Amino acid sequence: MTLKEQINIERLPRHIAIIMDGNGRWAKKHGKPRLFGHQSAIQAVREVNEACAELGVEHLTLYAFSTENWNRPGDEVSGLMTLLSQTIKKETATLLKNGIRLNVIGDTDRMSQGIRDELFRAIDVTSKGERMELILALSYSGRWDITDAARRMAQAAKDGTLEPSSITEDTVSNFLSTAGRPDPELLIRTSGELRISNFLMWQLAYSELYFTNKYWPDFRKDDLYEAILDYQHRERRFGKTSEQLSK
């Protein structure tokens, strides 16, 4: 029985988030410049996107570029932005064909007008896709997300459309960039690093965390299946006891 066949479709996570880490180290290992690692990572994105759609995952969020990544060397940032633009142009038709709608979360105002235009054109073209939502976290960080939500809640309170005493956890969630989507049940991080790196800090409160030593360019469908199988063997208690869950 293959790894895919072992997955219980009835217990599939609705939302999977991935920190795609290790591109630079993968490139160094192969004696290549860092940008080569980012270019080689596109195949992993294709495979995971396809595998999630085939299984029936509803939302896939990929941490593609953090707010901290703007601090990298200028030539690497420029190369990443060019690669992003090229990839969006190249992959939009495939997303449309496969019924996958594209979306973005993050401070996209920091990106060039040309890239924003290309990105939002692809989002518009694929907007009717019902098979799965692919969310790119671009110029994103969890602290930015929470700060932006707090700023907008404060403005709503000032405008008289939000009563401070009525604010609940659901209120905060509805002001975050991921509003309207379930929190990720499963977070996958590649490259062996054991941290969430300022990603979806509010939304990951009860996510199952899965770490693999594989660098992202080497990550393939079977690696995703292994992560999902590991997730399905865990007991998700949300603060309750095992005995309470069995009743």
Side-chain angles (χ1 to χ4, degrees):
M1 184 181 291
T2 66
L3 288 171
K4 183 179 180 180
E5 291 170 337
Q6 294 176 47
I7 293 173
N8 181 353
I9 298 302
E10 300 301 318
R11 297 189 59 236
L12 198 67
R14 294 178 61 197
H15 188 173
I16 295 176
I18 303 179
I19 299 176
M20 307 180 293
D21 195 26
N23 295 346
R25 280 167 287 166
W26 183 91
K28 184 177 180 181
K29 177 182 174 182
H30 289 81
K32 301 287 186 179
R34 290 180 59 85
L35 191 57
F36 180 77
H38 298 306
Q39 293 167 335
S40 300
I42 294 173
Q43 183 59 34
V45 173
R46 288 194 189 109
E47 291 215 11
V48 168
N49 187 46
E50 182 179 292
C52 284
E54 289 173 349
L55 287 171
V57 173
E58 297 176 24
H59 310 273
L60 171 64
T61 299
L62 302 179
Y63 202 9
F65 192 87
S66 73
T67 53
E68 290 82 5
N69 287 157
W70 288 111
N71 298 320
R72 290 188 174 186
D75 57 344
E76 182 175 352
V77 172
S78 177
L80 279 168
M81 291 297 109
T82 299
L83 180 61
L84 172 63
S85 178
Q86 293 172 343
T87 303
I88 291 171
K89 289 179 182 178
K90 188 174 181 179
E91 301 297 329
T92 298
T94 301
L95 295 177
L96 185 62
K97 178 183 176 181
N98 293 329
I100 299 171
R101 65 190 181 279
L102 180 66
N103 253 312
V104 64
I105 57 174
D107 186 10
T108 55
D109 287 344
R110 296 185 66 178
M111 302 167 70
S112 73
Q113 186 63 53
I115 292 178
R116 291 203 306 273
D117 289 346
E118 193 66 45
L119 176 62
F120 288 107
R121 186 193 73 82
I123 290 172
D124 181 61
V125 167
T126 62
S127 62
K128 295 183 180 179
E130 297 182 353
R131 191 178 184 190
M132 189 183 78
E133 180 184 35
L134 171 63
I135 306 162
L136 299 181
L138 294 169
S139 188
Y140 176 90
S141 75
R143 289 184 175 182
W144 166 85
D145 203 358
I146 294 170
T147 301
D148 183 66
R151 184 183 300 113
R152 290 188 292 113
M153 282 191 291
Q155 186 62 54
K158 182 179 179 181
D159 294 341
T161 59
L162 178 65
E163 176 58 47
S165 62
S166 71
I167 295 174
T168 64
E169 290 186 9
D170 286 341
T171 309
V172 177
S173 293
N174 289 331
F175 273 88
L176 293 171
S177 62
T178 52
R181 305 174 178 97
D183 290 338
E185 293 97 334
L186 172 62
L187 169 74
I188 299 170
R189 179 170 187 151
T190 57
S191 88
E193 300 291 352
L194 306 178
R195 56 180 179 269
I196 64 171
S197 294
N198 205 358
F199 183 44
L200 298 174
M201 295 171 65
W202 176 279
Q203 299 89 333
L204 293 177
Y206 275 102
S207 301
E208 297 296 327
L209 310 184
Y210 178 88
F211 301 100
T212 174
N213 289 324
K214 276 200 172 181
Y215 293 136
W216 177 246
D218 289 329
F219 198 85
R220 293 296 180 265
K221 288 185 178 182
D222 276 352
D223 300 303
L224 174 72
Y225 300 150
E226 286 182 357
I228 292 174
L229 286 168
D230 182 86
Y231 161 84
Q232 291 188 338
H233 284 97
R234 300 187 190 185
E235 182 180 67
R236 308 193 74 218
R237 296 191 297 273
F238 299 99
K240 297 181 180 180
T241 66
S242 297
E243 290 74 19
Q244 286 176 298
L245 294 175
S246 63
K247 290 180 180 179

